[in-house]
């Protein structure tokens, strides 16, 4: 009799494991399907589209792109010992161009721009007690971030 009871307990244990694992698999596949089905087939959902330079009208090419920024960075130019007031976005563009070659991958340039912008904003918000000559915020050397103006970049 004890042998019969042992066989029954083995069967019950195996049955519980099979039912539990199959239920888990059904839940794993059923929930994502239920979430996706309402969105399938809608034509109103649009994917993002990149617009190349050839798709834009020629009038846009004649006007230079200017980025408006309410913040300015006072850069101490070490060669001339003068302070140059640069809009934040222009500062970031020039720092990226000074620190990386233009033929790097686009995503690397984007990452560098994000790092440069984050660095200068955190630096300016920290309100450093160390003041530079002429009321400058940063220098154009590796002490802060390398900055070159348009003439130097050419």
């Amino acid at each position: 009799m004890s042998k019969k009871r042992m066989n029954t307990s083995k069967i019950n244990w195996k049955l519980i494991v099979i039912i539990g694992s199959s239920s888990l698999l059904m839940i794993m596949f059923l929930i994502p399907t239920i979430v996706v089905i309402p969105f399938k087939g809608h034509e109103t959902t649009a994917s993002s589209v990149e617009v190349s330079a050839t798709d834009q009208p020629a009038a846009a090419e004649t006007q230079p792109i200017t980025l408006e920024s309410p913040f300015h960075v006072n850069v101490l130019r070490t060669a001339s010992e003068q302070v140059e007031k640069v809009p934040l976005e222009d500062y970031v563009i020039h720092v990226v161009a000074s620190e990386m070659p233009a033929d790097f991958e686009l995503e690397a340039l984007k990452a560098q721009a994000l790092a440069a912008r984050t660095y200068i904003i955190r630096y300016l918000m920290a309100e450093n007690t160390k003041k530079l000559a002429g009321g400058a915020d940063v220098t154009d050397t590796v002490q802060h971030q390398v900055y070159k103006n348009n003439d130097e970049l050419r």
Side-chain angles (χ1 to χ4, degrees), residues 36-47:
V36 171
I37 285 176
F39 300 105
K40 189 175 182 186
H42 285 285
E43 299 299 325
T44 58
T45 308
S47 61

Side-chain angles (χ1 to χ4, degrees), residues 1-12:
M1 180 130 162
S2 69
K3 193 172 189 181
K4 187 176 183 182
R5 187 179 266 176
M6 189 182 249
N7 284 340
T8 309
S9 67
K10 282 184 180 179
I11 292 173
N12 287 340

Side-chain angles (χ1 to χ4, degrees), residues 23-61:
S23 299
L24 182 65
L25 286 172
M26 275 187 58
I27 290 172
M28 285 174 47
F29 290 112
L30 188 64
I31 290 176
T33 304
I34 291 172
V35 169
V36 171
I37 285 176
F39 300 105
K40 189 175 182 186
H42 285 285
E43 299 299 325
T44 58
T45 308
S47 61
S48 61
V49 178
E50 280 190 33
V51 178
S52 65
T54 58
D55 296 341
Q56 296 181 2
E61 292 178 18

Side-chain angles (χ1 to χ4, degrees), residues 46-124:
S47 61
S48 61
V49 178
E50 280 190 33
V51 178
S52 65
T54 58
D55 296 341
Q56 296 181 2
E61 292 178 18
T62 59
Q63 299 174 351
I65 297 174
T66 57
L67 299 173
E68 297 296 323
S69 176
F71 304 105
H72 294 316
V73 180
N74 296 320
V75 182
L76 176 63
R77 302 308 310 260
T78 53
S80 63
E81 294 294 325
Q82 293 184 357
V83 176
E84 193 175 315
K85 188 174 184 179
V86 183
L88 178 67
E89 295 304 320
D90 288 341
Y91 176 79
V92 170
I93 291 169
H94 288 263
V95 165
V96 171
S98 301
E99 293 184 349
M100 293 181 73
D103 60 350
F104 267 43
E105 292 291 326
L106 180 62
E107 293 302 316
L109 293 169
K110 288 179 185 178
Q112 182 68 22
L114 182 64
R117 183 179 293 109
T118 303
Y119 172 83
I120 192 62
I121 289 174
R122 282 196 66 167
Y123 186 82
L124 294 174

